[in-house]
Amino acid sequence: MSPETERTAIDVVIVNWNTAEAAIEAADVYLRSDAVEARVTVIDNASQQEQRRLLEEGCPEEARLVLHEENLGYGRAANLALGDGTAELVCVSNADVLPEPRALATLAAVAQKEPRAGMVGPAFGGKTDRYHSRLPTEIAMLGRIFAGSFARGPVPPPAPGEVKAVGQPSGACFMMHRDTWELMQGFDDGFFLWYEDVDLAKRLHDEGYRNLVVGSARVGHPGASSFVQIERPRLRAIRLVSVERYIHKHHPRLSTITPLLLGLSKRLRATAPMTPESRPGVRGG
């Protein structure tokens, strides 16, 4: 058997919304990953026509391009793109993530060595490493009705060669065993944006899986390339919907007080109405 046929296959999905140039670059970099076979799909969440033309003209031929006519949100888009894959491992990525050449191979080695691996994330470097954090407590979730970063417990990034167990690896880039991904049914489609990754990490944790961050697997990730296109009131409205869903799923005893606090938060911060065209379909970090 040749070295080529021995390479680990990984189904990589890049979720895009109006960041075509970044998605094209990410697809190219993922395809050139060392020591693995990266099977890349770029799925677009109903971007503007000019952005879709850029994808059609510039997306690498080796990548599969899916242009969806509806803005599915981050989780649903990733679920759809990975639904017909066959690789042993899957990787979900923002469009503005650029892995170093051996990042996928390093993540794969850790995932394959750990039979109870859940989400296996890279080290981002810089400010976006703060998105690896502890799972939020009940008190934290109540506070996040008013402030999205309330009691966020960022985890210091592991050093090269170190693998650290964390509650919640960032959803901007992570790897999983396909059988585990399918057992968990991927992301919960009910989260349009925000907390789909926290929900997945929580469900994995509750089933006894270990969520990990790998210090030697490094990716670049400036973050927020889609969020900056959206007005802040609309972003807050989307976030509150996700906060409410997460509390309902994982902290049900707070369900009686949550509507009251949500109402107060909305009065304190008047929100603008959302339209399908205004809703971002990727994560900001």
Side-chain angles (χ1 to χ4, degrees):
M1 184 178 291
S2 69
E4 180 72 19
T5 60
E6 293 174 355
R7 293 188 305 168
T8 298
I10 304 167
D11 287 324
V12 179
V13 56
I14 298 168
V15 183
N16 179 69
W17 184 75
N18 288 321
T19 52
E21 292 181 353
I24 291 167
E25 184 179 10
D28 183 62
V29 173
Y30 273 111
L31 286 166
R32 291 188 282 110
S33 295
D34 290 346
V36 296
E37 178 191 349
R39 304 171 182 175
V40 176
T41 297
V42 177
I43 184 164
D44 180 73
N45 268 334
S47 291
Q48 298 170 4
Q49 286 302 314
E50 178 60 29
Q51 290 285 309
R52 290 164 79 90
R53 281 194 291 272
L54 287 174
L55 286 174
E56 290 176 313
E57 295 169 1
C59 198
E61 292 184 2
E62 302 92 333
R64 180 175 66 137
L65 176 60
V66 178
L67 299 175
H68 210 276
E69 297 304 320
E70 176 189 355
N71 190 340
L72 301 173
Y74 190 75
R76 283 183 64 198
N79 290 344
L80 177 66
L82 292 174
D84 55 0
T86 59
E88 173 190 351
L89 298 169
V90 302
C91 175
V92 179
S93 178
N94 273 16
D96 59 356
V97 166
L98 296 175
E100 292 186 355
R102 292 197 61 83
L104 283 186
T106 303
L107 290 173
V110 172
Q112 291 170 323
K113 184 178 179 181
E114 172 59 67
R116 296 294 291 176
M119 298 168 71
V120 182
F124 294 114
K127 294 182 179 179
T128 52
D129 263 322
R130 70 182 184 274
Y131 292 108
H132 300 311
S133 66
R134 299 190 297 270
L135 286 167
T137 64
E138 289 182 340
I139 297 299
M141 290 308 302
L142 290 179
R144 291 182 193 181
I145 292 174
F146 299 94
S149 60
F150 180 81
R152 179 181 290 277
V155 177
E162 180 186 0
V163 177
K164 180 177 290 188
V166 302
Q168 171 205 332
S170 170
C173 179
F174 67 90
M175 185 177 290
M176 282 180 64
H177 290 278
R178 171 172 288 281
D179 57 359
T180 305
W181 171 264
E182 292 178 348
L183 180 66
M184 304 306 294
Q185 299 182 336
F187 287 124
D188 177 350
D189 285 350
F191 292 94
F192 180 81
L193 184 64
W194 273 303
Y195 285 92
E196 70 286 308
D197 55 339
V198 190
D199 169 73
L200 177 58
K202 171 66 171 169
R203 289 186 283 123
L204 287 162
H205 173 270
D206 290 349
E207 292 295 328
Y209 290 91
R210 298 180 71 226
N211 297 316
L212 307 169
V213 175
V214 183
S216 293
R218 302 193 64 82
V219 303
H221 178 227
S225 55
S226 288
F227 283 4
V228 296
Q229 304 175 52
I230 309 302
E231 297 175 3
R232 291 182 65 83
R234 292 194 173 99
L235 287 177
R236 293 191 194 105
I238 298 168
R239 182 181 63 79
L240 285 177
V241 170
S242 295
V243 166
E244 182 177 21
R245 183 172 183 83
Y246 186 89
I247 291 174
H248 177 75
K249 287 187 67 174
H250 299 293
H251 302 297
R253 68 178 183 169
L254 301 179
S255 296
T256 55
I257 192 174
T258 299
L260 298 175
L261 296 178
L262 286 166
L264 177 59
S265 177
K266 290 172 183 177
R267 287 194 295 273
L268 291 173
R269 294 182 174 183
T271 57
M274 286 186 295
T275 64
E277 293 77 14
S278 71
R279 300 193 304 176
V282 298
R283 309 187 82 261

